[in-house]
Amino acid sequence: MQLMDSMDSGNRPISIAVVGTGYVGLVAAVCFAEMGHAVTCVDNDEQKIRALKDGIAPIHEQYLPELLGRHGSNSVRFTTSLHEATATAEAVFIAVGTPQADGSGEADLSYVEAVACEIARSLVSYCVIVEKSTVPVYTNEWIRRIMERNGVAPEHFDVASNPEFLREGTAIADFLHPDRVLVGADSDHAVDLLERIYRPLTNGEYYRRTGSIPGRCSSHNPPPLVKTSAKSAEIIKHASNAFLATKISFINAVANLCEAVDANVEDVARGMGMDSRIGEKFLRPGIGYGGSCFPKDVAAFRTVAEQAGVDFGLLGEVEKINASQKRRFVAKVRSALWTLRGKRLGVLGLAFKGGTDDIRESPALEIVQILLQEGCNIAAYDPAGMERAQRELPPSRQMRYATDAYDAVDGADALLILTDWAEFGQLDLLRVHGCLRYPIVIDGRNMYSPAAMLQHGLMYLSIGRPASYPAREISVAASAARG
Ligand code: UGA
């Protein structure tokens, strides 16, 4: 085994292996290739690798088909052989899943461990092993220990943490136009290699290229590279997700208060967000956060703190508010329809947020499941999430998958908006009114202004804003009150 003595400081392509072809792994692989590096991407799912070799993107992600087409036949190779991928790589990025372990908040790191063992068996020259997956603090130390236990001498490898902050749906643009590149490493060799990998972004050169993916960075405004210890980087990733989830639960609790006192959470969020110390982002109230990251990462971070003897009870409250947000929404549906059994509901949205086909931990899907248990009949539509949703929730007498938004609403007792797809905010409201059996819209994502709904004669319930009732509904409510 050879130790690379002097790392050249030029801009030569680096040989990179990426282990895992999930959102993070696949996006990182094609983006490293886009930056000019030679990438081998490995996964043990043969079917997925076969599809990727044919240029088929397994996930719905903007620019992914384009980058697969651009690099799939030359600078990024797909393989099922971890040995082949890592044998000659200068950097191996571990981007395998770190799901929540059964029955606890802890992250299950068995995939990371298995990959580390196999890397140890494959190494033939100095290599930097980089954690890309979201992992608890101390994982870098465990990877180091596993490598040494498997016979690799400490001078033949380094371990670094380079967490990713990309969002599903905008993952490619987020990767290539990051707010910051975070390099957590305790060795100069590792820092140097990661600096060289990201140099096309940090020196702004990438943004001058013709055909570069557009985004917020430019050659005049390249992203900064932040260097920390490996442990600090691990914590930065978990703390960032936990903080964003906290912001969402906070605004959801404020929304609930606004509802109780007849205030408007949109105004409140705008007024709060204009304070630059608070910021306007992630203050959109709704039916709670979901997805493969926030729920799992808040739980994992809470457990990390617990294990370190630190009381981080705040995170438990964040989870509690998030869970109650779905129940509150169902209560709102009940308040509009009186009883639920046998009601026909048109549901727009199944994915955990707009712009993705991902339904993991989707609050929309959870609400649909509760409503089905309550005996409702549902016609649902989602622009990208239906295929995956059907695997979880097969079509049945109670559950129908619609061909478009208007088909979902046709003959329904109410329309529910559960995912913030842009197209759900641009519906032809006259047509919606015409399709509905009763003109009732219950919006879990605040996609419309109550005034616009009122103008179209729709009764409109949303999150943290006063409900709007057309004149007819007001007289119905008034006569109900008179008995
Ligand atoms: C999140 C983070 O935003 C990324 O920075 C991070 O890299 C990623 O997790 C990860 O760890 O891999 P993502 O899960 O793709 O990204 O989705 P977000 O856009 O953050 O939304 C998460 C959930 O919060 C969604 O259910 C969304 O609807 C909800 N949300 C978001 C709100 O309810 N209100 C908001 O204001 C923002």
Side-chain angles (χ1 to χ4, degrees):
M1 202 180 280
Q2 251 188 337
L3 176 62
M4 275 169 73
D5 45 9
S6 68
M7 305 273 180
D8 68 81
S9 54
N11 280 342
R12 72 172 174 83
I14 315 273
S15 166
I16 293 174
V18 178
V19 188
T21 59
Y23 275 93
V24 173
L26 184 55
V27 168
V30 296
C31 288
F32 284 141
E34 170 77 357
M35 286 153 67
H37 302 301
V39 185
T40 307
C41 191
V42 56
D43 200 295
N44 55 12
D45 183 336
E46 286 182 16
Q47 215 180 329
K48 211 167 171 190
I49 291 295
R50 249 198 317 274
L52 283 165
K53 280 182 173 167
D54 291 338
I56 300 168
I59 48 175
H60 178 90
E61 198 59 56
Q62 200 187 13
Y63 301 122
L64 183 57
E66 202 172 322
L67 291 196
L68 275 175
R70 215 181 268 182
H71 305 293
S73 49
N74 41 62
S75 40
V76 63
R77 280 185 328 113
F78 294 101
T79 176
T80 52
S81 164
L82 183 61
H83 177 76
E84 180 194 322
T86 59
T88 54
E90 293 164 69
V92 181
F93 286 79
I94 302 181
V96 294
T98 52
Q100 197 167 329
D102 284 344
S104 76
E106 233 173 319
D108 173 358
L109 297 174
S110 55
Y111 299 106
V112 175
E113 182 181 3
V115 168
C117 289
E118 215 172 326
I119 295 173
R121 287 193 287 271
S122 310
L123 278 197
V124 291
S125 59
Y126 171 86
C127 174
V128 178
I129 297 156
V130 191
E131 304 161 349
K132 207 49 163 158
S133 316
T134 307
V135 289
V137 65
Y138 286 123
T139 304
N140 74 93
E141 286 192 359
W142 269 108
I143 295 177
R144 171 175 301 283
R145 234 177 277 176
I146 294 295
M147 297 292 289
E148 289 178 10
R149 276 184 195 165
N150 282 277
V152 186
E155 65 273 21
H156 289 151
F157 75 96
D158 278 306
V159 183
S161 167
N162 168 227
E164 202 38 63
F165 299 95
L166 54 83
R167 291 159 301 170
E168 291 184 18
T170 52
I172 302 268
D174 286 349
F175 191 101
L176 293 168
H177 295 265
D179 288 337
R180 74 299 205 187
V181 172
L182 178 58
V183 169
D186 303 312
S187 95
D188 292 344
H189 268 146
V191 173
D192 179 70
L193 185 71
L194 282 157
E195 275 180 331
R196 283 190 291 129
I197 288 175
Y198 284 100
R199 191 160 296 149
L201 302 186
T202 53
N203 70 8
E205 183 264 317
Y206 173 72
Y207 309 109
R208 282 192 293 273
R209 291 186 206 163
T210 344
S212 64
I213 299 296
R216 51 169 287 280
C217 296
S218 67
S219 54
H220 304 298
N221 179 31
L225 186 136
V226 179
K227 295 181 221 172
T228 68
S229 69
K231 274 187 207 158
S232 297
E234 289 167 331
I235 291 191
I236 288 171
K237 172 66 196 183
H238 257 159
S240 300
N241 274 5
F243 186 79
L244 290 171
T246 304
K247 234 180 148 181
I248 298 170
S249 276
F250 188 89
I251 201 65
N252 279 333
V254 171
N256 299 339
L257 175 62
C258 287
E259 266 173 38
V261 301
D262 238 9
N264 185 329
V265 72
E266 301 287 325
D267 293 341
V268 174
R270 201 173 61 247
M272 285 170 64
M274 283 166 125
D275 185 327
S276 58
R277 293 167 304 173
I278 296 174
E280 66 188 19
K281 292 183 181 157
F282 277 71
L283 283 183
R284 287 194 325 273
I287 50 175
Y289 60 78
S292 64
C293 303
F294 284 179
K296 155 181 89 72
D297 291 347
V298 172
F301 198 42
R302 179 174 44 72
T303 311
V304 164
E306 243 164 59
Q307 288 169 346
V310 173
D311 180 3
F312 211 150
L314 171 68
L315 296 180
E317 291 303 314
V318 167
E319 291 173 314
K320 232 197 281 171
I321 294 169
N322 199 52
S324 74
Q325 213 55 17
K326 288 162 264 196
R327 293 194 298 272
R328 281 184 69 94
F329 186 81
V330 173
K332 202 167 272 182
V333 178
R334 198 190 297 276
S335 77
L337 295 176
W338 187 21
T339 63
L340 291 179
R341 180 158 301 281
K343 289 282 157 56
R344 282 182 64 179
L345 302 174
V347 165
L348 297 187
L350 296 163
F352 82 95
K353 65 171 188 177
T356 177
D357 59 349
D358 198 341
I359 53 151
R360 285 175 291 175
E361 301 284 327
S362 168
L365 210 62
E366 213 176 308
I367 287 171
V368 166
Q369 276 160 330
I370 299 174
L371 292 169
L372 288 172
Q373 279 158 16
E374 293 282 346
C376 296
N377 296 315
I378 287 183
Y381 173 71
D382 187 286
M386 294 211 286
E387 201 183 310
R388 286 172 196 258
Q390 284 185 45
R391 280 183 235 149
E392 287 278 299
L393 216 57
S396 67
R397 196 179 45 76
Q398 258 183 291
M399 180 75 197
R400 179 171 79 80
Y401 288 88
T403 51
D404 62 24
Y406 303 101
D407 178 35
V409 175
D410 198 26
D413 292 308
L415 157 62
L416 316 187
I417 303 177
L418 300 185
T419 305
D420 51 350
W421 279 97
E423 66 176 78
F424 294 160
Q426 292 153 14
L427 297 171
D428 174 347
L429 294 177
L430 277 179
R431 192 167 162 200
V432 168
H433 192 293
C435 288
L436 281 167
R437 184 153 172 244
Y438 300 117
I440 300 172
V441 178
I442 306 156
D443 182 356
R445 301 289 191 162
N446 289 1
M447 304 288 283
Y448 288 93
S449 83
M453 300 309 253
L454 203 57
Q455 240 173 33
H456 286 85
L458 292 159
M459 169 179 159
Y460 184 59
L461 304 183
S462 55
I463 309 290
R465 299 184 297 181
S468 53
Y469 296 96
R472 191 170 150 269
E473 278 292 334
I474 293 172
S475 69
V476 170
S479 59
R482 280 195 303 272

